[in-house]
Amino acid sequence: ILSFFLAPCRRRIISEARNQSPSIFDHPRFPPLKRRMATATYPPPPPYYRLYKDYSENPSSAPEPPPPIEGTYVCFGGNYTTEDVLPSLEEQGVPQLYPKDSNVDYKKELRSLNRELQLHILELADVLVGRPSQYAKRIGDISSIFKNLHHLLNSLRPHQARATLIHIMELQIQQRKQAVEDIKRRREEAQRLLKDAFVTLDGQ
Amino acid sequence: MDIISQLQEQVNSIAAITFNAFGTLQRDAPPVQLSPNYPEPPPAAAAAAAAAADDPTTTAFPEQPKQLSADLVKAAKQFDALVAALPLSEGGEEAQLKRIAELQVENDLIGQELQKQLEAAEKELKQVQELFGQAADNCLNMKKPE
C-alpha cells in the first residue's frame, strides 16, 4: 500500500526532473506512450491515390470520378431513393379522408378536416368518460385525421416552390430591365459629354 | 416562417394541446364514488383540497377543462385564420408552368437586349479610352491637338 502512494510521487519527481509538467499521463494506470500513439492515428488514405500520380501533366491518365447514383442507394444501412416524391396516403396505409381529385380545393378541405378533428376530440372526451376501454378506435381516427392534414400541407409544397420560382423570375426580369435602362442612360450621357468636348475643341 | 410551415406548426400545436389536456385531466381528476355503498372519503382529504386551493399557482380542478378547451378552440381558430391567409392562386399546376414558360421567354429576350447594350457600351468605352490615350500622348509630346 505504501508503494502505491509513493509511486505517483516518484513519477512526479521524475517528470519534474525531466522539466516536463506532471500530467495525468504519468499515472501508472494510464497506458504507456507507445500504445497510446497507435490508437490515436488517423486511417491511411485509400490506396488508389497512386493512380493520380500524373494528373497535373495528363488529366486523362487518371480514372474518371464515379457517375452520379440513380435509383435507390443504401447509406449507413438505410435505403434512400434519388427521386424526391411525396408518397401518397394509400402507400402509407392511411385512409384518405378528402376527395381524390386532381384539383382539390385546399382551403375548403383543410377547414373541413379541422372541423372533423374538433368533433373527434370531443368524441374522445365522451368515450373516456363513459366507455374508457373503447379509446383505441377514436385515437386511430384522430391520428388518421392528423396524417391527412399533414399530407395535404405537404402536397402544397410543390405549388409553393413554383410560386417562389415565378416570384424570383419576375424580380430578375425587373432587375435586368433596370440594368438596361441604366446602361442606355450612361451611354447617352457619355456621348453627350464627348460631343461637348469636340465642340469645345473645335471652337478653339 | 412561410405560411405552410406555420400551418404545420399550428397542426402540431393543436395535437400537443389535445394530449396535454387529456393527460392533465386524467392526472388531476379527483376520485369518483363507485357505488353508494362505499362511505364518503374522510374529512382529511377535504383539508388537503383546501390547502391546495390556497396556493395561488395551482388552478382549481373544475376550471382546468374550461382553460384547456379554450386553448384548444383558440388554436383551431388560429388554424382557420392561417388557412384563410393561404395565397393560393387558382389555376393549378398547368397555369403555373405556363407562366414560368412565359417568364423564361421574357427573361431570355431581355437578357439578349442587356447583352447587346453591354457590348455596345464596352465598345464605346474602348474607343473613349483610345482617344484619351492619344490625347494624353499628344499632351506628353506637346503637340497641338488637331
Side-chain angles (χ1 to χ4, degrees), chain A residues 89-104:
Chain A
L89 279 175
E90 283 78 26
E91 290 164 15
Q92 295 173 349
V94 176
Q96 184 164 344
L97 296 169
Y98 57 89
K100 191 191 177 72
D101 207 0
S102 53
N103 281 340
V104 54

Side-chain angles (χ1 to χ4, degrees), chain B residues 6 25 56 71 84 116 140:
Chain B
Q6 276 180 325
L25 289 174
D71 282 340
K116 258 197 331 225
L140 268 180

Side-chain angles (χ1 to χ4, degrees), chain A residues 3-13 15 18 21-33 36:
Chain A
S3 64
F4 176 78
F5 284 120
L6 278 179
C9 307
R10 208 176 23 231
R11 287 207 180 245
R12 215 176 302 127
I13 294 173
S15 63
R18 274 187 271 163
S21 58
S23 64
I24 59 158
F25 294 123
D26 292 335
H27 195 277
R29 288 287 164 81
F30 212 88
L33 192 67
R36 266 201 318 256

Side-chain angles (χ1 to χ4, degrees), chain A residues 6 32 39 54 56 58 61 66-67 84 102 125 131 147 160 171 175:
Chain A
L6 278 179
T39 54
D54 295 320
S56 48
N58 183 11
S61 70
D84 283 323
S102 53
R131 306 170 291 277
K147 285 185 185 151
Q160 185 193 21
L171 269 183
Q175 280 172 348

